[in-house]
Amino acid sequence: MLVNLSLAVKRLGLVSVAVLSLMSGLAQAHGDVVPQSVDTSTLPQLGEKWRDSNPFSTGDAHAEALRIGTSAYNQNCARCHGLEAISGGMSPDLRKVDSDCMGMADEAAKNSCFKEIDEYFLATVRRGRVRDGRVYMPHFEGILSQEAIWSIRTYIETRREE
């Protein structure tokens, strides 16, 4: 009886280790990154209503948004999307997210295309991406402010491949 009890305890221990290993693998499916807060106090505050397109692409706040976005990207996005937005193949290469727009000769069409990509980008970052119950990208709404998300977009715009 004592031998059977000892064997059962060993098996339970092995099963526990296996379950914990599997669970930690699931928890780290998108790396071991804990979202980092982003100080956007030096940027114009955008209010409650989410913008349709990046308000920091041009204008007086562009340089500051780029500075903040570079840091915010490195802290919150680079683990999956790669340093300098160069993907290692596991996640989308963000340098190419608006490549269809880049070759457009008509400036109005090009700007409209960039606006559509901004909307897609914003929806993806806010809500994340889940397919068949698997989280491919966590949501950042409620974690990153609108100013932080648009600052990250400003950084990504500088990484475009033409």
Side-chain angles (χ1 to χ4, degrees), residues 85-116:
I86 301 170
S87 175
M90 295 298 288
S91 296
D93 191 321
L94 298 179
R95 297 170 302 158
K96 299 176 182 182
V97 73
D98 50 14
S99 59
D100 289 345
C101 308
M102 294 303 295
M104 295 183 165
D106 182 294
E107 202 61 33
K110 186 184 232 182
N111 289 333
S112 178
C113 183
F114 284 144
K115 185 176 183 284
E116 285 180 31

Side-chain angles (χ1 to χ4, degrees), residues 73 77-100 102 117 120-121 124 136-137 152-153 155-162:
Y73 175 88
C77 312
R79 175 83 164 121
C80 295
H81 290 283
L83 293 174
E84 298 183 3
I86 301 170
S87 175
M90 295 298 288
S91 296
D93 191 321
L94 298 179
R95 297 170 302 158
K96 299 176 182 182
V97 73
D98 50 14
S99 59
D100 289 345
M102 294 303 295
I117 299 300
Y120 173 79
F121 173 83
T124 300
Y136 287 87
M137 180 172 159
I152 292 169
R153 177 72 177 130
Y155 167 71
I156 292 169
E157 288 172 353
T158 68
R159 303 296 305 146
R160 287 181 178 138
E161 281 194 342
E162 298 189 33

Side-chain angles (χ1 to χ4, degrees), residues 4-154:
N4 286 341
L5 182 59
S6 176
L7 186 58
V9 169
K10 284 182 183 178
R11 284 185 182 160
L12 182 60
L14 288 174
V15 168
S16 297
V17 168
V19 168
L20 288 173
S21 294
L22 286 172
M23 288 176 62
S24 70
L26 291 174
Q28 293 186 15
H30 275 87
D32 53 0
V33 176
V34 174
Q36 300 297 307
S37 63
V38 177
D39 179 6
T40 60
S41 62
T42 56
L43 288 171
Q45 298 303 292
L46 301 175
E48 296 292 317
K49 186 174 185 285
W50 286 85
R51 304 290 174 97
D52 293 347
S53 59
N54 187 354
F56 303 133
S57 285
T58 60
D60 294 339
H62 177 78
E64 182 63 2
L66 178 57
R67 183 188 70 77
I68 291 169
T70 301
S71 175
Y73 175 88
N74 287 328
Q75 293 174 2
N76 291 290
C77 312
R79 175 83 164 121
C80 295
H81 290 283
L83 293 174
E84 298 183 3
I86 301 170
S87 175
M90 295 298 288
S91 296
D93 191 321
L94 298 179
R95 297 170 302 158
K96 299 176 182 182
V97 73
D98 50 14
S99 59
D100 289 345
C101 308
M102 294 303 295
M104 295 183 165
D106 182 294
E107 202 61 33
K110 186 184 232 182
N111 289 333
S112 178
C113 183
F114 284 144
K115 185 176 183 284
E116 285 180 31
I117 299 300
D118 281 352
E119 291 170 357
Y120 173 79
F121 173 83
L122 184 63
T124 300
V125 175
R126 286 178 70 188
R127 296 180 190 96
R129 289 282 176 222
V130 178
R131 194 175 314 126
D132 297 327
R134 291 184 298 238
V135 176
Y136 287 87
M137 180 172 159
H139 71 88
F140 284 92
E141 186 164 14
I143 298 168
L144 296 179
S145 68
Q146 177 174 198
E147 295 82 8
I149 292 171
W150 286 125
S151 292
I152 292 169
R153 177 72 177 130
T154 301

